[in-house]
Amino acid sequence: MDAPDIAADDRRPRHDYRMAAVGAAGWLGGLAGARSGAGALVAVGLVGVLLAVSIRLLGDRAVRLGAACLVVAAGVASATLLRGEAVDSSVVADLAQRRAVADVTGTVVSDPAVIEGPWGRQVVVRLRVDAVVARGTTYALGALLVVIGDPAWERADLGSRVRTTGRLAPADDAEVAAMVTGARPPVRIRGPDLWWRGAAAVRSSIRQSVAGRPAAQRALVPALVDGDDAEVPADLEQDFRDTGLTHLTAVSGTNLTLVVGFLLLLARAVGVRRRWLTVIGLLGIVGFVLLARTEPSVLRAAAMGTVGLFALGNDGRRRGLRALGVAVTLLLLVSPSLATSAGFALSVLATAGIVLIGPPVQAALARWLPMPLAAAIAVPFAAQLACTPVIAAISGEVSLVAVLANLLVEPVVGPATVLGLGGGLVGLVAEPLGRILGTLAGLCVGWIVWVAQRGATLPGATLSWGVTPLALALIVVLCLATAAAAPVLLRHRRVGALLLIGSVLVVLGVPARIAAGPARWFGGWPPPGWVLVACDVGQGDALALSVGAHAAIVVDAGPDPDLVDRCLDRLGVTEVPLVVLTHFHADHVDGLPGVFRGRSVGAIEATPMLDPDVGVAAVRDVARSASLELTAATPGVTRTYGSVTLQVLWPDLPEPVVGPGDGSLANDNSEVLLVESHGLRLLLTGDVEPPGQARLAAALPGLVIDVLKVPHHGSRHQDLDWLRSLQATAAVVSVGADNDYGHPDVDLLSALTADGTVVARTDTDGDIAVLAGEAGPHVVTDH
């Protein structure tokens, strides 16, 4: 998503919109063919033919442009329909519908991808087949199949010709004729060609050059250089999405522009000029595509990167938009399915934003900022602004830190890419020198990882946005208005400086931190890598278990909707896959409506002891309004959410039981959870009392944990011997300040502390976060 250098002088020739209009028409034609079928094709085709015939009579430029647009639209729509029809009516598709067992022979066209499924470890790979033998008949054809087989397929090299046997099944992808399930290990017929072997050697060498670096750097350098993102952790990918840096974890036009641009600089340095530079540039593009694989996303990125190279040259402003139109048109004609691809839309819009919005923004900033700094701000601003409507439509969120994050990492993206590629190339002949270059690339990438991780935890990292037509129309209008107003406002030093400083402060969450108090202003909240947070909701319980970026399981909701809502807002939680209510007392369930504010909730689970009646009815009303069912916890059940595993330990009730209604049985039948997350074992106990604790001690002898949520707000009624036998390193007490119950009990806290347990309490410490440290749990409070 990076850009060509944009000159500050805004008096150059105007943009040439003609090819851009043709490309847009082709895009609309592809969408019409995919969504509306042959009717749209006939209408577009007839109008296009009529205009094409009338060109000689009218000779008008507008008519010619209109004819070209319609002809291209009809061409892309035709290609979409014909390709879909060819796939649907192929012999392979028919065999797949009948679930036929077949022998297939073809060429591997993608790198093997490992997946963990219900039947164990499996490998997915794409195969371009030319022969299928099924039910005694041999078919010579060309079709794309997706093969799902055992781990032996990991050795299927890209470009190799193989044979296998499996059961055909229908595929969801319009470009794929069928899937081959239960595929037998591949029989190699012929190895990859020389160019594929060379590309594989460079990719392997890149990985080897960073083998000694930390895990995040070891995974991200290959992803940045050639799109090899197999080892990028899911949580890091989420951080990159939240901060608008996703383009760095996959092949994008940025990669090609940097790699080929550096190659051209080297060629110039050794005296290469004119046409030979073009030849070297084309060879660099071909080499990059081979290195990153000839998949549609790579070809798309290569096309967008080539547009960037055009814009780097003389008259780049006009040539850049023209090249973008040509690239869009050719890509859609070659691969019509791109018309419905979100990745294609993001690539095109980012490049268009850089070419159209970037120059006036940079020219405005350059009136009072140094040119390099003006360009560094204008480029990510323009690209992100153009992509924002599509991102909002896909994720329902708008990143508020994307421009700042891209600005911070931009100085090291180029060096990291070039050094990473250099480490791979040099490592082929001198491995120690390759490791040196890989180490330097890793250091650059380390900064990118730090920015992504810190940016994702900022209070203003993302803004929830609806995906209704009205919401999306509003974001489009806002982006257009911003694009129009930015050059006018930013050209004035004072206004521009205030806007930039204000934007940075909002993104960093300074207003929110000031409102929340000095602790969050100085310390920052939440701390990165939090596993559990006990929210300060007064006299009650409300816990959050992190299951991924912006996602958490909520255990109890406290007595006040506003308090739990604020706590989850500060944590950046927008998705709650599960709410657990340990019991139905008001100090645990009355805050439940606050959990739903601006968040998606997947399920509500509670203790099977339905007592007291008022709490049960209130919870059922909330569940009903959210179209969810209130389910009862089942003892012994274990579930996994992301990196978190939950096991229900208590109560030992196989089905829901209606209590006396006064709440007298609620506490001791609290749902008790054993949680495992990031190497920590946490015991969440609700308000379970000594009889229930004794039953747990008898059922689970020798249970040892890392973190204890002290039962019943630290009440003095505890089975102290059992609590001490848990050997918890840290204990959390959810309790309200100056409560009338004498919670927490001083003797209880003293006994835990004497055993070496670090005790934190919400009445004095505020929100409490538990992190996974190298030596066990680490407790951080916002006070």
Side-chain angles (χ1 to χ4, degrees):
M1 232 165 63
D2 271 355
D5 189 22
I6 305 168
D9 186 4
D10 202 33
R11 295 172 294 178
R12 294 181 296 173
R14 294 184 177 181
H15 292 292
D16 184 352
Y17 291 95
R18 290 173 295 179
M19 274 310 303
V22 172
W27 200 343
L28 291 174
L31 290 171
R35 305 298 185 194
S36 303
L41 172 63
V42 172
V44 172
L46 286 175
V47 177
V49 169
L50 289 175
L51 279 175
V53 171
S54 64
I55 288 177
R56 291 184 178 276
L57 296 175
L58 300 176
D60 185 83
R61 281 189 175 184
V63 175
R64 288 176 177 160
L65 178 59
C69 289
L70 287 168
V71 169
V72 169
V76 176
S78 299
T80 302
L81 291 172
L82 290 173
R83 183 162 299 190
E85 181 64 22
V87 171
D88 293 340
S89 62
S90 69
V91 172
V92 175
D94 180 61
L95 292 171
Q97 289 293 337
R98 291 185 281 167
R99 302 297 199 278
V101 175
D103 295 327
V104 297
T105 303
T107 303
V108 178
V109 294
S110 73
D111 287 307
V114 178
I115 59 172
E116 295 291 343
W119 295 280
R121 183 184 179 91
Q122 293 186 299
V123 177
V124 177
V125 67
R126 292 194 170 209
L127 202 65
R128 177 71 64 182
V129 301
D130 50 45
V132 175
V133 180
R135 301 189 175 183
T137 304
T138 300
Y139 303 94
L141 45 81
L144 182 64
L145 303 183
V146 171
V147 177
I148 303 176
D150 64 27
W153 278 92
E154 288 187 73
R155 300 189 294 274
D157 297 324
L158 179 68
S160 61
R161 183 172 167 78
V162 299
R163 183 173 62 251
T164 188
T165 301
R167 186 175 296 276
L168 299 178
D172 296 330
D173 190 339
E175 294 286 311
V176 177
M179 295 190 300
V180 182
T181 60
R184 293 179 183 175
V187 177
R188 185 181 231 186
I189 300 173
R190 187 188 67 241
D193 293 323
L194 177 62
W195 47 84
W196 288 124
R197 295 200 301 272
V202 174
R203 287 168 70 96
S204 176
S205 183
I206 291 172
R207 291 192 296 269
Q208 190 61 32
S209 70
V210 293
R213 303 303 304 161
Q217 298 178 23
R218 193 167 61 245
L220 195 55
V221 169
L224 184 64
V225 176
D226 56 40
D228 183 5
D229 61 353
E231 300 299 326
V232 177
D235 55 347
L236 184 60
E237 281 191 286
Q238 184 62 51
D239 290 341
F240 273 64
R241 281 193 290 271
D242 293 340
T243 51
L245 298 174
T246 306
H247 59 100
L248 300 180
T249 64
V251 175
S252 68
T254 301
N255 307 63
L256 183 136
T257 303
L258 291 170
V259 171
V260 179
F262 180 72
L263 182 63
L264 292 176
L265 288 176
L266 287 180
R268 283 182 178 274
V270 297
V272 178
R273 294 293 183 271
R274 298 183 182 177
R275 293 182 179 178
W276 286 107
L277 281 176
T278 303
V279 173
I280 290 177
L282 291 174
L283 291 174
I285 292 171
V286 172
F288 175 83
V289 170
L290 290 174
L291 183 64
R293 307 318 198 201
T294 54
E295 296 179 359
S297 61
V298 176
L299 296 177
R300 179 194 73 215
M304 294 303 107
T306 304
V307 172
L309 291 174
F310 267 103
L312 280 168
N314 296 328
D315 196 16
R317 179 175 184 177
R318 182 164 57 187
R319 294 174 66 201
L321 193 59
R322 184 189 303 161
L324 178 60
V326 172
V328 169
T329 302
L330 293 178
L331 283 171
L332 289 171
L333 288 172
V334 172
S335 181
S337 63
L338 288 175
T340 57
S341 166
F344 178 73
L346 291 173
S347 290
V348 173
L349 289 174
T351 307
I354 289 166
V355 174
L356 292 173
I357 304 172
V361 171
Q362 181 176 338
L365 290 170
R367 295 170 66 93
W368 52 280
L369 285 177
M371 182 64 69
L373 182 56
I377 296 174
V379 166
F381 171 79
Q384 193 65 29
L385 186 65
C387 291
T388 294
V390 175
I391 295 173
I394 296 171
S395 65
E397 294 180 343
V398 175
S399 175
L400 300 181
V401 302
V403 174
L404 179 61
N406 277 277
L407 174 62
L408 291 173
V409 305
E410 188 166 345
V412 302
V413 171
T417 303
V418 173
L419 288 168
L421 179 59
L425 294 173
V426 173
L428 292 174
V429 294
E431 185 174 333
L433 185 55
R435 284 184 176 273
I436 293 175
L437 295 177
T439 297
L440 295 175
L443 293 174
C444 294
V445 162
W447 168 249
I448 298 174
V449 171
W450 186 88
V451 170
Q453 291 176 336
R454 293 297 300 174
T457 63
L458 292 174
T462 57
L463 175 68
S464 296
W465 197 271
V467 294
T468 63
L470 180 61
L472 296 180
L474 178 59
I475 195 68
V476 169
V477 171
L478 290 174
C479 289
L480 290 174
T482 303
V488 178
L489 297 175
L490 294 175
R491 66 189 295 123
H492 303 291
R493 183 193 301 268
R494 291 182 181 177
V495 176
L498 286 174
L499 286 174
L500 292 177
I501 294 172
S503 299
V504 171
L505 292 179
V506 170
V507 166
L508 294 177
V510 171
R513 289 182 181 181
I514 291 176
R520 292 189 182 90
W521 167 252
F522 290 108
W525 193 262
W530 63 275
V531 173
L532 169 76
V533 166
C535 298
D536 180 8
V537 291
Q539 183 67 14
D541 274 15
L543 310 174
L545 284 164
S546 176
V547 294
H550 305 295
I553 293 170
V554 174
V555 181
D556 287 329
D560 188 327
D562 292 335
L563 294 178
V564 70
D565 178 39
R566 282 182 214 153
C567 179
L568 295 177
D569 276 346
R570 292 193 297 266
L571 297 176
V573 173
T574 58
E575 181 180 355
V576 180
L578 175 66
V579 175
V580 175
L581 301 174
T582 60
H583 59 292
F584 292 99
H585 279 156
D587 58 334
H588 292 251
V589 302
D590 278 5
L592 184 59
V595 177
F596 284 81
R597 293 178 186 170
R599 299 175 191 89
S600 62
V601 177
I604 306 177
E605 173 183 291
T607 174
M609 175 55 68
L610 305 180
D611 188 46
D613 294 342
V614 174
V616 174
V619 170
R620 282 177 170 163
D621 286 343
V622 174
R624 191 179 303 112
S625 65
S627 300
L628 295 174
E629 289 188 9
L630 175 62
T631 60
T634 303
V637 168
T638 299
R639 291 154 294 173
T640 299
Y641 297 84
S643 59
V644 175
T645 299
L646 303 177
Q647 182 180 3
V648 178
L649 302 183
W650 186 259
D652 189 15
L653 298 174
E655 58 186 23
V657 175
V658 177
D662 60 0
S664 58
L665 297 182
N667 281 349
D668 209 28
N669 285 282
S670 293
E671 183 174 346
V672 177
L673 294 172
L674 179 63
V675 180
E676 295 190 15
S677 177
H678 294 82
L680 297 181
R681 289 163 61 86
L682 306 91
L683 189 64
L684 310 184
T685 58
D687 283 359
V688 66
E689 294 184 342
Q693 295 176 23
R695 294 276 300 276
L696 280 168
L700 300 167
L703 176 64
V704 174
I705 61 172
D706 298 294
V707 181
L708 170 69
K709 203 291 295 187
V710 177
H712 201 180
H713 319 293
S715 162
R716 65 187 181 87
H717 299 292
Q718 308 283 350
D719 185 338
L720 185 56
D721 290 339
W722 177 63
L723 294 183
R724 297 177 68 174
S725 73
L726 298 173
Q727 302 178 37
T729 304
V732 174
V733 184
S734 291
V735 61
D738 302 322
N739 65 84
D740 296 330
Y741 306 100
H743 299 164
D745 180 62
V746 175
D747 293 335
L748 169 67
L749 300 184
S750 298
L752 293 174
T753 304
D755 288 341
T757 302
V758 175
V759 178
R761 41 193 284 192
T762 57
D763 60 336
T764 57
D765 297 320
D767 291 351
I768 302 167
V770 177
L771 289 69
E774 293 183 1
H778 176 56
V779 176
V780 178
T781 72
D782 71 348
H783 285 184

